[in-house]
Amino acid sequence: MKKRKLLSFCLVLLVVLITIIFFFHRLKIKDFLTLPSKNPSLIILHEKSLKGLAGERTPLTLTLLNRTKFSWSSRGKNPIYLSYHLLDKNQRVIQFENERFPLPVKVRPGKQINLTINLRHPLEAGHYLVEFDLVKEGAFWFKDKGYSSPKLELTVLPLLWPENKQTWSLKKGSWSKIEFSSREFSLLLKMIRLTLEKNKVTFHLGPKNVYGFRAGLDYHQIWLRDSTTLIPVIKYYFPRGYLFSWLEAFLESQAENGSLPDWLDSQGHLGKNTTESDQEASAVQAAFLLSQLTSQDWLLQDIKGHSLINRLEKALSYLLRHRWSPRFSLIRGAHTVDWGDVDLVDADQQAIQIDERTHWTVDIYDQAMFYLACRNLSTLFQQLNHHHQSLFWAQKAAGIKRAVQKWLWDHQRGYFLIHRHCDSLQHSFEEKDILAVGGNTMAILAGLASPPQVHSIIQAIISRKKQAQLPTFSATLLPPYPPGTFKHPLLDEPYEYQNGGQWDWWGGRFILALFEHGYSSLAKQALSEIIALVQKNRGLFEWSNRVGIAQGSDYFAGSAGALGQALIEGYCGLNFARDSLNLSPRLQKDEVRLHLYLPALDAFVAYHYQYQEPGRIIFTYNSNLSLPGKINLLLPEEMTHSPLKVKLDGQAVPFQVKILHQDAYLCLESDYYPHTLEISIDK
């Protein structure tokens, strides 16, 4: 009897406890989620409207008032952020998910804080509504729980440049302008121009003015390797000083042993991330590109007692003396993530500096950079009739190519290994399975990969991107290193920062490789995928995470340079300099009017490409360069296997159709004076 009473008592107690727990649990949810009787606002706007340029950012201060019964925090599980929904003027949703702004402190019930954010404007002009709301990530928006969401009127003005006042023509003009039939490509070019303009800097170093570009809004320095990637784009939009002065400043700062700094700033400060081995190679590549925009005398000018060309040679010689691996006959660098500058062992700022704990490797990225630099330096010496030095660096390039094929090409996997270890370090996973997109892309662009290897690498990257279900080709590692491999919090997890994050700095270069090696349709699609994220994030950022959310520095110049090169040289098919002009438009059925001017040379090229149904192309072009050359036009699919009629200025001319993997080009010889080329299906 006593046992039965005790059991009954326990059951009753259990029911009471469950009821109490359930009641308080419901009370907790109710206190937090119950619909407010008058829909009060948790967000107080101090301005009703804003006005600004497309793609710009406007600082905005809001007040957040915690009218709930629980504290708000942007840390822990289901963090709370300020965000917004973008609406059109008729209150239709344009983009529901937007940037999250973390709360700087925990906001307790009844307390309020002021929060200043940078509101990114849409990339297209128009009238918008910005509906601010708080979000409990992974759970709900506060608007859905009864709290009102205030709206801000946003007027976005068109982003205009001096060339917008120019009417396109085939005639010479000292302006650069590209008109795309593709709206998305037009938006990308605007963001590229805006990003470069935001990073433009001028300062004095001693008696000289230095002109150049910061790496991004979060960087106040001019970085050597970043600036090199900008040259293919800035040469059309900026005067000579922005092309040459920054590189000359780096060479003036060269150490006695030939080493070059990574960055310099307006205060005369210098810095070098010694984990890298690409600064010196970047300088030579930059000088090679710039040499095509000026006379050869520039290479012979005096820089602190040495000619510029000799300082370039001194830079590459530094790598041979201080970064050479006798075992592999290759350049060595610290164990970073492919092209990155953060080492394996450190969790703080020491991660960018070598020390006695550094693990050394020979990686594909450094070899590709050094190989291209050796070829470039050999060509420069040849142009100056310095045949001995030219032969020396040509032989170094050939040696690197042989050693790379021996040590880094993986026949089974079909790509270059990320690196080989110079010491006894072994990972607990198969590192060879990690495809280094940056290093392999650089190997393609540098000419280090043979044609079969190029296509093998491209197919491997296509396959890995599909397997990982990534939104773009910008991921730098496929797959990334496992969690905890790197100690630094920036990249200790997969798909963050250099450990597999999506960097358009590399995505743009991979797209260029696709265009140049017969994958134009895929390249155009890949460019559109990146533009979709640019539109979503409203800008060019340093990198983005696995799902494409922007991270790192805003207005990242390296992204502008790489995507600009893919757009101009890849899609528009234009690359020209002092003694060369390549016209290979890959536009197919798109229409483009292009007029690009080189201020450093007072030279221009212009063309108008248009496709007319059914199966007819009209291509008009002109330049003030007196060069023999070739025209290569990518044919639309229906014209690829059809007999063609080709007329230049109304007269039939000989031509060839050449197949490059998936692409078919119509090729003919022509100078670059004013001509009209007509291509049609011969019925």
Side-chain angles (χ1 to χ4, degrees):
M1 188 70 178
K2 289 183 179 180
K3 288 184 178 180
R4 185 177 299 176
K5 288 184 178 180
L6 180 61
L7 180 61
S8 299
F9 175 77
C10 290
L11 288 173
V12 171
L13 181 61
L14 180 61
V15 170
V16 171
L17 287 174
I18 292 174
T19 303
I20 293 173
I21 292 172
F22 180 75
F23 172 78
F24 279 104
H25 178 68
R26 292 286 298 171
L27 179 63
K28 180 178 179 181
I29 296 176
K30 183 178 179 181
D31 285 344
F32 195 77
L33 302 183
T34 298
L35 299 180
S37 58
K38 297 183 180 180
N39 293 343
S41 177
L42 306 175
I43 304 167
I44 301 172
L45 299 181
H46 304 293
E47 300 178 63
K48 294 183 178 180
S49 63
L50 286 178
K51 182 184 292 186
L53 294 173
E56 288 275 12
R57 306 191 311 175
T58 297
L60 181 68
T61 299
L62 311 89
T63 298
L64 305 182
L65 174 59
N66 189 348
R67 299 177 187 269
T68 70
K69 296 185 178 181
F70 294 88
S71 297
W72 301 344
S73 174
S74 293
R75 295 185 176 184
K77 186 179 180 181
N78 301 121
I80 294 174
Y81 299 110
L82 173 71
S83 189
Y84 62 91
H85 314 302
L86 185 68
L87 317 175
D88 66 15
K89 61 182 180 181
N90 296 317
Q91 302 201 44
R92 292 183 296 242
V93 176
I94 297 174
Q95 186 169 316
F96 187 84
E97 297 286 345
N98 290 280
E99 185 177 7
R100 270 45 168 175
F101 302 99
L103 311 183
V105 295
K106 180 181 288 188
V107 185
R108 301 187 183 281
K111 301 296 183 180
Q112 68 179 41
I113 62 167
N114 290 330
L115 180 62
T116 300
I117 65 172
N118 283 309
L119 182 65
R120 293 186 178 88
H121 304 171
L123 304 184
E124 292 186 286
H127 297 282
Y128 301 87
L129 292 172
V130 181
E131 182 181 24
F132 287 99
D133 198 0
L134 289 164
V135 58
K136 187 173 178 63
E137 203 67 72
F140 56 82
W141 291 84
F142 280 59
K143 176 186 176 181
D144 296 335
K145 303 305 175 184
Y147 294 96
S148 65
S149 50
K151 298 180 180 68
L152 174 76
E153 294 181 2
L154 177 62
T155 301
V156 177
L157 305 174
L159 185 62
L160 301 175
W161 302 102
E163 61 265 23
N164 290 105
K165 299 177 182 178
Q166 303 292 337
T167 301
W168 178 89
S169 77
L170 282 175
K171 297 180 180 180
K172 181 184 177 183
S174 56
W175 42 272
S176 292
K177 183 178 186 179
I178 309 177
E179 298 177 354
F180 298 101
S181 59
S182 166
R183 172 184 149 273
E184 60 181 3
F185 287 178
S186 297
L187 286 176
L188 177 61
L189 185 59
K190 288 179 181 179
M191 278 310 306
I192 290 168
R193 295 279 280 117
L194 177 61
T195 299
L196 293 174
E197 195 67 27
K198 285 287 186 182
N199 288 300
K200 186 173 65 175
V201 292
T202 306
F203 52 81
H204 298 282
L205 280 183
K208 295 184 179 180
N209 289 334
V210 175
Y211 304 87
F213 299 86
R214 299 176 301 182
L217 283 197
D218 292 349
Y219 298 90
H220 65 275
Q221 315 99 330
I222 298 175
W223 290 73
L224 178 51
R225 69 174 180 176
D226 298 57
S227 297
T228 301
T229 68
L230 306 183
I231 295 173
V233 179
I234 62 175
K235 67 181 183 181
Y236 298 116
Y237 295 101
F238 294 90
R240 182 184 178 92
Y242 286 96
L243 298 174
F244 293 87
S245 66
W246 63 268
L247 179 59
E248 293 167 2
F250 274 98
L251 292 174
E252 287 183 358
S253 303
Q254 187 174 36
E256 283 299 316
N257 64 3
S259 172
L260 289 170
D262 225 339
W263 57 263
L264 55 83
D265 65 17
S266 60
Q267 305 302 312
H269 299 143
L270 307 170
K272 185 179 182 72
N273 297 356
T274 55
T275 49
E276 300 172 9
S277 296
D278 65 348
Q279 297 96 336
E280 293 74 22
S282 295
V284 174
Q285 292 172 26
F288 177 79
L289 294 173
L290 295 176
S291 72
Q292 302 175 51
L293 304 176
T294 189
S295 69
Q296 294 181 359
D297 292 341
W298 177 69
L299 294 169
L300 299 174
Q301 71 168 298
D302 180 80
I303 295 185
K304 289 190 172 181
H306 296 273
S307 68
L308 190 147
I309 186 75
N310 287 339
R311 285 199 173 273
L312 296 176
E313 184 173 39
K314 189 177 181 180
L316 286 196
S317 297
Y318 161 79
L319 294 176
L320 292 178
R321 289 193 303 269
H322 298 278
R323 291 298 172 95
W324 187 252
S325 169
R327 174 186 171 190
F328 295 107
S329 295
L330 293 170
I331 297 297
R332 65 187 185 121
H335 187 320
T336 63
V337 179
D338 191 17
W339 52 274
D341 55 5
V342 179
D343 75 11
L344 188 72
V345 297
D346 292 293
D348 54 20
Q349 191 63 16
Q350 182 58 32
I352 60 174
Q353 302 297 332
I354 61 172
D355 56 28
E356 68 281 356
R357 298 171 300 119
T358 298
H359 293 286
W360 292 92
T361 69
V362 290
D363 63 84
I364 183 57
Y365 168 74
D366 282 335
Q367 313 320 313
M369 290 291 288
F370 185 69
Y371 172 76
L372 180 57
C374 288
R375 292 178 59 199
N376 289 165
L377 190 58
S378 176
T379 300
L380 294 178
F381 275 126
Q382 185 66 34
Q383 292 172 353
L384 295 171
N385 294 318
H386 295 180
H387 302 298
H388 177 73
Q389 289 102 318
S390 176
L391 179 61
F392 175 85
W393 290 107
Q395 290 173 340
K396 285 298 176 187
I400 289 290
K401 192 167 190 176
R402 288 192 299 270
V404 163
Q405 295 297 328
K406 177 180 179 180
W407 294 110
L408 293 177
W409 178 253
D410 190 314
H411 294 274
Q412 178 184 352
R413 293 173 173 82
Y415 53 76
F416 290 108
L417 299 178
I418 186 171
H419 56 221
R420 282 188 179 271
H421 293 252
C422 296
D423 57 22
S424 59
L425 175 69
Q426 291 185 346
H427 293 295
S428 60
F429 52 90
E430 182 52 84
E431 195 176 22
K432 292 181 179 180
D433 288 337
I434 296 176
L435 170 51
V437 176
N440 276 271
T441 297
M442 195 64 218
I444 294 174
L445 296 177
L448 194 54
S450 67
Q453 288 174 337
V454 168
H455 299 301
S456 177
I457 292 168
I458 288 174
Q459 290 300 327
I461 293 175
I462 292 171
S463 176
R464 294 288 180 93
K465 184 242 189 187
K466 183 177 181 180
Q467 290 174 13
Q469 299 181 328
L470 295 169
T472 75
F473 278 104
S474 295
T476 52
L477 295 180
L478 295 169
Y481 278 93
T485 305
F486 284 78
K487 302 301 182 289
H488 200 286
L490 271 177
L491 63 166
D492 59 350
E493 293 292 333
Y495 295 106
E496 65 176 8
Y497 197 49
Q498 296 165 355
N499 188 21
Q502 297 187 82
W503 291 67
D504 295 338
W505 191 15
W506 284 110
R509 280 182 264 193
F510 180 67
I511 290 170
L512 177 64
L514 290 175
F515 274 122
E516 291 182 344
H517 291 276
Y519 294 82
S520 293
S521 294
L522 178 60
K524 184 179 175 183
Q525 175 188 331
L527 198 53
S528 296
E529 290 172 350
I530 288 179
I531 295 172
L533 286 189
V534 171
Q535 290 182 268
K536 181 179 179 180
N537 292 320
R538 299 200 192 101
L540 297 178
F541 285 81
E542 189 170 5
W543 63 286
S544 59
N545 64 15
R546 183 171 187 169
V547 296
I549 298 174
Q551 309 285 328
S553 177
D554 199 352
Y555 297 110
F556 191 64
S559 296
L563 293 173
Q565 187 177 15
L567 195 61
I568 294 172
E569 295 184 10
Y571 177 65
C572 295
L574 175 68
N575 191 353
F576 83 111
R578 183 188 61 224
D579 300 320
S580 64
L581 175 57
N582 180 11
L583 276 180
S584 302
R586 302 177 178 95
L587 308 175
Q588 294 186 307
K589 294 187 178 182
D590 295 341
E591 182 176 2
V592 169
R593 290 181 176 88
L594 176 148
H595 185 292
L596 288 179
Y597 175 71
L598 288 176
L601 290 175
D602 190 31
F604 88 103
V605 64
Y607 72 63
H608 179 199
Y609 176 99
Q610 53 184 321
Y611 174 86
Q612 298 178 350
E613 297 282 2
R616 185 167 182 256
I617 295 171
I618 300 177
F619 183 60
T620 56
Y621 54 95
N622 185 28
S623 175
N624 61 345
L625 289 181
S626 302
L627 297 170
K630 292 183 178 180
I631 304 294
N632 304 290
L633 293 182
L634 179 65
L635 294 171
E637 185 176 353
E638 69 271 18
M639 299 179 71
T640 300
H641 302 293
S642 302
L644 301 174
K645 290 193 299 185
V646 179
K647 293 183 178 181
L648 187 65
D649 302 326
Q651 301 295 317
V653 292
F655 67 92
Q656 291 180 300
V657 174
K658 295 184 178 180
I659 305 299
L660 179 61
H661 200 63
Q662 298 176 358
D663 295 346
Y665 288 89
L666 182 133
C667 308
L668 59 93
E669 294 184 354
S670 171
D671 58 41
Y672 301 111
Y673 294 127
H675 293 294
T676 298
L677 177 63
E678 297 180 66
I679 308 166
S680 59
I681 296 176
D682 190 2
K683 298 181 179 179

